[in-house]
Structures are given as structure tokens and as C-alpha cells.
């Protein structure tokens, strides 16, 4: 989403929102709020590539951090290191982070393939982020042994769960 497209989307939504626009029409993330949601956006932070947005909010006067992520498709540990650094100032508030992380967190349960998984340098950084920030995979918490997938790769003939919602353990 470009800045213009994001502004138009928020305008058509008739609510409020925050976004990180795409640089080359390949990226862009947005968080939209319904008009009936009593939300105040107190601050926001975004990367320059349209890959993540962090919204510091008050919902009904309760602080909450929402983060929307669209991770690179290539193995990019620096992306997750930068995201970790960006989240650190917000640790005093509950966090909900969701999006397309473009890698399976659990290579056993979140992936199904006849091929052996390639070694990922980004996965350990993401796992460290989750631990350092105190986030848990809310779906996995409710479905500890279930296999379900959000992506199918034709070239690799594999299924993967790449889309997640991580929430603070305090929620």
C-alpha cells in the first residue's frame, strides 16, 4: 500500500488507523479501527520499507500496543533484530503483534513437506524476540498439537503456517 492508498483505505473505512506505506508497491501494512472502538492513537512507529507499524494506543483508556508485520520472504535475521529494537520501548504495556512472518515458528507443527527444512537464520531471532518481549502464539496456546497451515508453496510442494498473532503473556 502506498501512502495515498493507505489514506484512501482509512477514509473509506470511516474509522481511524495507522500505517506504514510501501516503497515499491510490494509491501505496506495497516491497522484499522472501527468507529465504535474507543481508541486514541498516542504515538506510532514504522519502518521505512512498509514492513511493520507499531501503534501505541489507549482503548477505553487502557494502554495497548498493536503491531502489524509483513516480514520479508527471504531469510532476513536483521529484519527481526530491527523489529525487536523497535518494540523494546513499549514493553511496559501489553502487546498484540500479528501478521505474515514468512517463516514457520515451529518447524515440526507449522510445516508439512517431503523436503527437509532449510536452516533459517531469522527463526532463532524471531524466537528470541518472542521470549524477550514476552509474547506467545495465541493460536498455538489454544491448539497445542494441531496442524493447520496458511500457505501452500507449489514449487516446494509444502504447507506452512506463516501468519500469526502473538500476544503478551499478561493478556
Amino acid at each position: 500500500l502506498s501512502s495515498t492508498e493507505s489514506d484512501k483505505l482509512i477514509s473509506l473505512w470511516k474509522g481511524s488507523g495507522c500505517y506504514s506505506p510501501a516503497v515499491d508497491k510490494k509491501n505496506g501494512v495497516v491497522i484499522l479501527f472501527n468507529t465504535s472502538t474507543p481508541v486514541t492513537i498516542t504515538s506510532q512507529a514504522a519502518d521505512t520499507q512498509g514492513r511493520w507499524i507499531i501503534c501505541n494506543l489507549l482503548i477505553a483508556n487502557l494502554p495497548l500496543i498493536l503491531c502489524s508485520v509483513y516480514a520479508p520472504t527471504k531469510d532476513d535475521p536483521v529484519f527481526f533484530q530491527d523489529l525487536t529494537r523497535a518494540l523494546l520501548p513499549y514493553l511496559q504495556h501489553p502487546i498484540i503483534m500479528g501478521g505474515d512472518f514468512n517463516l514457520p515458528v515451529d518447524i515440526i507443527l507449522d510445516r508439512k513437506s517431503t523436503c527437509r527444512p532449510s536452516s533459517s537464520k531469522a527463526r532463532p531471532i524471531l524466537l528470541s524476540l518472542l521470549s524477550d518481549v514476552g509474547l506467545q502464539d495465541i493460536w498455538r496456546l489454544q491448539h497445542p498439537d494441531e496442524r493447520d497451515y496458511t500457505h501452500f508453496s507449489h514449487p516446494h510442494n509444502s504447507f506452512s503456517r506463516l501468519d500469526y498473532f502473538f500476544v503478551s503473556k499478561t493478556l
Side-chain angles (χ1 to χ4, degrees):
L1 294 169
S2 68
S3 290
T4 304
E5 291 166 330
S6 298
D7 286 335
K8 184 177 178 182
L9 180 63
I10 290 171
S11 171
L12 291 171
W13 179 254
K14 299 194 187 327
S16 59
C18 47
Y19 61 87
S20 177
V23 175
D24 56 8
K25 292 192 175 193
K26 292 183 181 179
N27 308 332
V29 291
V30 65
I31 299 173
L32 300 171
F33 304 100
N34 189 299
T35 54
S36 65
T37 304
V39 63
T40 303
I41 301 169
T42 58
S43 66
Q44 55 187 0
D47 74 328
T48 58
Q49 301 298 310
R51 293 273 180 195
W52 54 261
I53 180 78
I54 299 170
C55 295
N56 186 358
L57 313 168
L58 290 173
I59 296 183
N61 290 321
L62 298 172
L64 180 67
I65 306 302
L66 292 182
C67 178
S68 180
V69 175
Y70 177 48
T73 55
K74 65 179 179 149
D75 188 26
D76 187 356
V78 173
F79 170 81
F80 291 106
Q81 291 167 341
D82 291 344
L83 181 58
T84 302
R85 277 191 290 279
L87 285 168
L88 291 178
Y90 304 100
L91 295 184
Q92 72 274 20
H93 300 304
I95 298 173
I96 299 173
M97 179 172 65
D100 182 350
F101 290 81
N102 272 313
L103 59 81
V105 171
D106 183 320
I107 58 172
I108 305 299
L109 292 174
D110 294 337
R111 189 170 185 280
K112 179 181 177 184
S113 176
T114 56
C115 302
R116 187 168 186 232
S118 60
S119 177
S120 168
K121 294 178 180 150
R123 182 178 297 104
I125 305 300
L126 175 58
L127 293 174
S128 179
L129 179 158
L130 298 175
S131 175
D132 293 349
V133 177
L135 299 175
Q136 59 190 348
D137 177 353
I138 194 67
W139 187 86
R140 181 62 62 211
L141 194 65
Q142 299 295 315
H143 308 273
D145 300 316
E146 193 171 329
R147 292 172 178 256
D148 207 352
Y149 310 104
T150 60
H151 176 74
F152 175 72
S153 169
H154 287 282
H156 301 105
N157 194 30
S158 66
F159 294 89
S160 298
R161 182 168 165 246
L162 307 177
D163 304 293
Y164 298 89
F165 272 98
F166 301 111
V167 301
S168 291
K169 293 177 181 176
T170 57
L171 289 177

